Amino acid sequence: MSRLLLSVMGAFAEFERSLLKERQREGIAIAKKAGVYRGRRPSLKPDQANEIRLRVANGETRAGLAREFKISRETLYQYAPVKAENLVGN
């Protein structure tokens, strides 16, 4: 009996969560149409992103650049991705 009750409660929780996500998607769509929802602001300005790309091309370490610009290395890799010809073993 307790397993049945737990399963029913889990099903209701899952259903409520799907309704919540659907309402959230609808709200975001309405906000986008109104021009209110723009998403997250970029971490770097365009001139900073260009500077990072140039400095990576000149051989500076990505970790050092990430520390200097106060961004994560993952964010830096999004601005200056690793090219296939630079990978070792290719």
Side-chain angles (χ1 to χ4, degrees):
M1 189 64 166
S2 63
R3 284 186 185 168
L4 175 65
L5 185 59
L6 189 60
S7 295
V8 170
M9 287 174 51
F12 276 120
E14 186 177 338
F15 177 69
E16 178 59 31
R17 181 70 180 149
S18 68
L19 289 177
L20 187 133
K21 290 183 104 178
E22 182 179 341
R23 288 192 302 264
Q24 181 182 17
R25 278 192 300 271
E26 289 172 358
I28 289 172
I30 291 168
K32 281 184 178 180
K33 284 183 183 177
V36 177
Y37 189 89
R38 295 186 191 102
R40 188 174 189 274
R41 212 172 342 155
S43 299
L44 298 173
K45 295 175 184 162
D47 58 326
Q48 290 176 318
N50 289 332
E51 181 182 348
I52 282 181
R53 287 186 200 99
L54 286 172
R55 289 172 68 178
V56 165
N58 289 335
E60 289 191 45
T61 64
R62 293 173 190 267
L65 289 169
R67 277 192 296 275
E68 181 181 332
F69 284 89
K70 295 183 174 102
I71 57 174
S72 70
R73 283 185 298 165
E74 184 62 35
T75 301
L76 191 133
Y77 279 105
Q78 290 174 2
Y79 282 101
V82 177
K83 294 180 181 168
E85 62 267 9
N86 294 342
L87 294 176
V88 176
N90 278 343

